[in-house]
Amino acid sequence: MKLQIDKKEFGLMIEHDQVKKRIRLIGTQINVSYEKQVPVFIGVLNGCFLFMADLMKEIDIAAETCFIKLASYQGDQQQGEIKEIIGLCVDIKDRDVIIVEDIIDTGNTLHYLLEKIKEHKPASVAICSLLLKPAKLQHTFPNLAFVGFEIPDEFVVGYGMDYNGLGRNLKDIYKACD
């Protein structure tokens, strides 16, 4: 199945049923890993909103949620500068933190965020990302604990991810066609 978004063509990459199954598994892993803790889930907007909403439905342990907003993309190109648009809204000192990302490609935004979070002295920080592009990573993240899917270095849209602000509402994940 192909679709067009803002004059760019996309083809189906990951169906929603696969996404749901993977999120259930990640939720189970987090419930076991944090059984006796009360973690703070920090969602990185805008892309994480569908993933985090579905993930939180699978979390059975006590937990708090918070959102931040960083910007590093324009269209389908990642820009060098990272802008903090909405900051941290909860005290995370001595707390277990789980950062929830929609996608990690170069890792520049995540690296920036981790440096900011470390300043607040959390007890621990784990990273949970729906998608990971290992071939594009420019940083190592030893605390990358939960990954939904590893994908090739392709531009994707859907399930919270956008192209020029469009396509976030698609339930499946699509890749750009050449």
Side-chain angles (χ1 to χ4, degrees):
M1 176 178 163
K2 291 193 178 188
L3 56 91
Q4 190 167 343
I5 300 173
D6 199 21
K7 300 178 185 169
K8 193 171 188 87
E9 194 169 273
F10 292 86
L12 185 62
M13 181 181 222
I14 305 171
E15 291 182 346
H16 188 240
D17 284 345
Q18 290 177 277
V19 172
K20 288 191 316 189
K21 287 176 186 171
R22 193 67 184 121
I23 292 172
R24 267 195 299 277
L25 179 59
I26 291 170
T28 299
Q29 291 172 324
I30 291 172
N31 288 330
V32 170
S33 296
Y34 291 85
E35 185 177 21
K36 297 190 185 336
Q37 294 138 294
V38 181
V40 177
F41 287 80
I42 300 175
V44 183
L45 294 171
N46 284 340
C48 84
F49 78 100
L50 288 177
F51 173 46
M52 187 153 165
D54 287 344
L55 177 63
M56 295 312 296
K57 293 172 192 171
E58 301 297 331
I59 300 302
D60 297 329
I61 58 171
E64 286 186 66
T65 59
C66 176
F67 292 92
I68 62 164
K69 187 171 183 180
L70 305 173
S72 66
Y73 264 90
Q74 186 156 1
D76 61 355
Q77 299 298 312
Q78 188 168 31
Q79 306 300 304
E81 181 183 350
I82 297 167
K83 298 176 190 166
E84 189 170 333
I85 299 167
I86 298 173
L88 195 58
C89 59
V90 64
D91 184 10
I92 59 170
K93 186 177 188 327
D94 299 323
R95 300 285 306 274
D96 296 301
V97 171
I98 301 172
I99 297 171
V100 181
E101 278 273 25
D102 56 341
I103 187 168
I104 302 170
D105 47 33
T106 64
N108 291 333
T109 302
L110 182 58
H111 180 73
Y112 171 88
L113 177 58
L114 285 170
E115 293 301 313
K116 291 288 187 185
I117 285 182
K118 284 181 193 174
E119 293 173 7
H120 295 271
K121 299 180 180 13
S124 70
V125 179
I127 302 162
C128 175
S129 184
L130 179 61
L131 303 177
L132 173 68
K133 294 182 183 178
K136 200 166 179 189
L137 274 177
Q138 296 177 5
H139 304 274
T140 57
F141 299 106
N143 50 349
L144 182 56
F146 311 99
V147 175
F149 301 93
E150 289 188 7
I151 63 169
D153 182 14
E154 300 190 58
F155 187 78
V156 294
V157 67
Y159 200 71
M161 295 165 281
D162 75 303
Y163 175 62
N164 288 338
L166 302 171
R168 289 189 194 278
N169 58 308
L170 299 169
K171 66 179 185 171
D172 300 312
I173 297 172
Y174 295 82
K175 64 180 179 177
C177 298
D178 295 332

PDB file of all heavy atoms in Angstrom, residues 68-71 82-88 112 116:
ATOM      1  N   ILE A  68       8.273  16.515  27.359  1.00  0.00           N
ATOM      2  CA  ILE A  68       9.112  17.631  26.965  1.00  0.00           C
ATOM      3  C   ILE A  68       9.026  17.736  25.452  1.00  0.00           C
ATOM      4  O   ILE A  68       8.601  16.792  24.786  1.00  0.00           O
ATOM      5  CB  ILE A  68      10.580  17.462  27.417  1.00  0.00           C
ATOM      6  CG1 ILE A  68      11.189  16.223  26.769  1.00  0.00           C
ATOM      7  CG2 ILE A  68      10.688  17.390  28.916  1.00  0.00           C
ATOM      8  CD1 ILE A  68      12.683  16.211  26.855  1.00  0.00           C
ATOM      9  N   LYS A  69       9.432  18.860  24.939  1.00  0.00           N
ATOM     10  CA  LYS A  69       9.405  19.016  23.483  1.00  0.00           C
ATOM     11  C   LYS A  69      10.731  19.604  23.025  1.00  0.00           C
ATOM     12  O   LYS A  69      11.141  20.662  23.491  1.00  0.00           O
ATOM     13  CB  LYS A  69       8.240  19.912  23.055  1.00  0.00           C
ATOM     14  CG  LYS A  69       8.071  19.978  21.557  1.00  0.00           C
ATOM     15  CD  LYS A  69       6.783  20.680  21.182  1.00  0.00           C
ATOM     16  CE  LYS A  69       6.606  20.675  19.671  1.00  0.00           C
ATOM     17  NZ  LYS A  69       5.355  21.341  19.281  1.00  0.00           N
ATOM     18  N   LEU A  70      11.366  18.864  22.129  1.00  0.00           N
ATOM     19  CA  LEU A  70      12.613  19.292  21.508  1.00  0.00           C
ATOM     20  C   LEU A  70      12.397  19.283  20.001  1.00  0.00           C
ATOM     21  O   LEU A  70      11.621  18.475  19.491  1.00  0.00           O
ATOM     22  CB  LEU A  70      13.758  18.338  21.859  1.00  0.00           C
ATOM     23  CG  LEU A  70      14.027  18.094  23.337  1.00  0.00           C
ATOM     24  CD1 LEU A  70      15.064  16.999  23.513  1.00  0.00           C
ATOM     25  CD2 LEU A  70      14.508  19.366  24.007  1.00  0.00           C
ATOM     26  N   ALA A  71      13.093  20.133  19.299  1.00  0.00           N
ATOM     27  CA  ALA A  71      12.963  20.162  17.842  1.00  0.00           C
ATOM     28  C   ALA A  71      14.339  20.109  17.200  1.00  0.00           C
ATOM     29  O   ALA A  71      15.236  20.854  17.573  1.00  0.00           O
ATOM     30  CB  ALA A  71      12.228  21.419  17.403  1.00  0.00           C
ATOM     31  N   ILE A  82      19.451  21.973  18.192  1.00  0.00           N
ATOM     32  CA  ILE A  82      18.329  21.381  18.920  1.00  0.00           C
ATOM     33  C   ILE A  82      17.697  22.473  19.763  1.00  0.00           C
ATOM     34  O   ILE A  82      18.384  23.192  20.489  1.00  0.00           O
ATOM     35  CB  ILE A  82      18.806  20.207  19.807  1.00  0.00           C
ATOM     36  CG1 ILE A  82      19.363  19.111  18.919  1.00  0.00           C
ATOM     37  CG2 ILE A  82      17.671  19.697  20.680  1.00  0.00           C
ATOM     38  CD1 ILE A  82      20.139  18.059  19.643  1.00  0.00           C
ATOM     39  N   LYS A  83      16.402  22.617  19.653  1.00  0.00           N
ATOM     40  CA  LYS A  83      15.674  23.646  20.388  1.00  0.00           C
ATOM     41  C   LYS A  83      14.802  22.987  21.445  1.00  0.00           C
ATOM     42  O   LYS A  83      14.096  22.037  21.159  1.00  0.00           O
ATOM     43  CB  LYS A  83      14.785  24.452  19.439  1.00  0.00           C
ATOM     44  CG  LYS A  83      15.531  25.202  18.373  1.00  0.00           C
ATOM     45  CD  LYS A  83      14.552  25.872  17.439  1.00  0.00           C
ATOM     46  CE  LYS A  83      15.279  26.414  16.230  1.00  0.00           C
ATOM     47  NZ  LYS A  83      14.387  26.772  15.147  1.00  0.00           N
ATOM     48  N   GLU A  84      14.864  23.523  22.661  1.00  0.00           N
ATOM     49  CA  GLU A  84      13.988  23.052  23.734  1.00  0.00           C
ATOM     50  C   GLU A  84      12.765  23.952  23.744  1.00  0.00           C
ATOM     51  O   GLU A  84      12.859  25.139  24.000  1.00  0.00           O
ATOM     52  CB  GLU A  84      14.718  23.114  25.078  1.00  0.00           C
ATOM     53  CG  GLU A  84      13.969  22.452  26.187  1.00  0.00           C
ATOM     54  CD  GLU A  84      14.810  22.318  27.454  1.00  0.00           C
ATOM     55  OE1 GLU A  84      16.040  22.260  27.363  1.00  0.00           O
ATOM     56  OE2 GLU A  84      14.194  22.279  28.523  1.00  0.00           O
ATOM     57  N   ILE A  85      11.614  23.368  23.450  1.00  0.00           N
ATOM     58  CA  ILE A  85      10.396  24.149  23.319  1.00  0.00           C
ATOM     59  C   ILE A  85       9.543  24.048  24.587  1.00  0.00           C
ATOM     60  O   ILE A  85       8.993  25.021  25.058  1.00  0.00           O
ATOM     61  CB  ILE A  85       9.610  23.705  22.066  1.00  0.00           C
ATOM     62  CG1 ILE A  85      10.495  23.949  20.831  1.00  0.00           C
ATOM     63  CG2 ILE A  85       8.291  24.444  21.943  1.00  0.00           C
ATOM     64  CD1 ILE A  85      10.017  23.287  19.575  1.00  0.00           C
ATOM     65  N   ILE A  86       9.444  22.850  25.153  1.00  0.00           N
ATOM     66  CA  ILE A  86       8.750  22.645  26.431  1.00  0.00           C
ATOM     67  C   ILE A  86       9.726  21.900  27.331  1.00  0.00           C
ATOM     68  O   ILE A  86      10.270  20.864  26.943  1.00  0.00           O
ATOM     69  CB  ILE A  86       7.469  21.804  26.264  1.00  0.00           C
ATOM     70  CG1 ILE A  86       6.463  22.513  25.365  1.00  0.00           C
ATOM     71  CG2 ILE A  86       6.839  21.503  27.630  1.00  0.00           C
ATOM     72  CD1 ILE A  86       5.240  21.678  25.026  1.00  0.00           C
ATOM     73  N   GLY A  87       9.948  22.398  28.535  1.00  0.00           N
ATOM     74  CA  GLY A  87      10.922  21.808  29.433  1.00  0.00           C
ATOM     75  C   GLY A  87      10.323  20.803  30.400  1.00  0.00           C
ATOM     76  O   GLY A  87       9.119  20.558  30.417  1.00  0.00           O
ATOM     77  N   LEU A  88      11.180  20.244  31.207  1.00  0.00           N
ATOM     78  CA  LEU A  88      10.827  19.231  32.197  1.00  0.00           C
ATOM     79  C   LEU A  88       9.843  19.796  33.215  1.00  0.00           C
ATOM     80  O   LEU A  88      10.023  20.903  33.717  1.00  0.00           O
ATOM     81  CB  LEU A  88      12.111  18.764  32.895  1.00  0.00           C
ATOM     82  CG  LEU A  88      12.079  17.505  33.697  1.00  0.00           C
ATOM     83  CD1 LEU A  88      11.634  16.324  32.844  1.00  0.00           C
ATOM     84  CD2 LEU A  88      13.459  17.224  34.269  1.00  0.00           C
ATOM     85  N   TYR A 112      21.637  15.203  23.628  1.00  0.00           N
ATOM     86  CA  TYR A 112      21.368  16.520  24.225  1.00  0.00           C
ATOM     87  C   TYR A 112      20.447  16.374  25.434  1.00  0.00           C
ATOM     88  O   TYR A 112      20.702  16.921  26.506  1.00  0.00           O
ATOM     89  CB  TYR A 112      20.735  17.427  23.159  1.00  0.00           C
ATOM     90  CG  TYR A 112      20.203  18.738  23.683  1.00  0.00           C
ATOM     91  CD1 TYR A 112      21.020  19.860  23.770  1.00  0.00           C
ATOM     92  CD2 TYR A 112      18.866  18.863  24.084  1.00  0.00           C
ATOM     93  CE1 TYR A 112      20.526  21.067  24.240  1.00  0.00           C
ATOM     94  CE2 TYR A 112      18.369  20.061  24.559  1.00  0.00           C
ATOM     95  CZ  TYR A 112      19.198  21.164  24.633  1.00  0.00           C
ATOM     96  OH  TYR A 112      18.703  22.352  25.112  1.00  0.00           O
ATOM     97  N   LYS A 116      20.926  17.118  29.625  1.00  0.00           N
ATOM     98  CA  LYS A 116      20.020  17.977  30.401  1.00  0.00           C
ATOM     99  C   LYS A 116      19.432  17.221  31.596  1.00  0.00           C
ATOM    100  O   LYS A 116      19.324  17.764  32.696  1.00  0.00           O
ATOM    101  CB  LYS A 116      18.877  18.496  29.514  1.00  0.00           C
ATOM    102  CG  LYS A 116      19.320  19.486  28.479  1.00  0.00           C
ATOM    103  CD  LYS A 116      19.657  20.796  29.123  1.00  0.00           C
ATOM    104  CE  LYS A 116      19.931  21.866  28.103  1.00  0.00           C
ATOM    105  NZ  LYS A 116      20.381  23.110  28.707  1.00  0.00           N
TER     106      LYS A 116
END
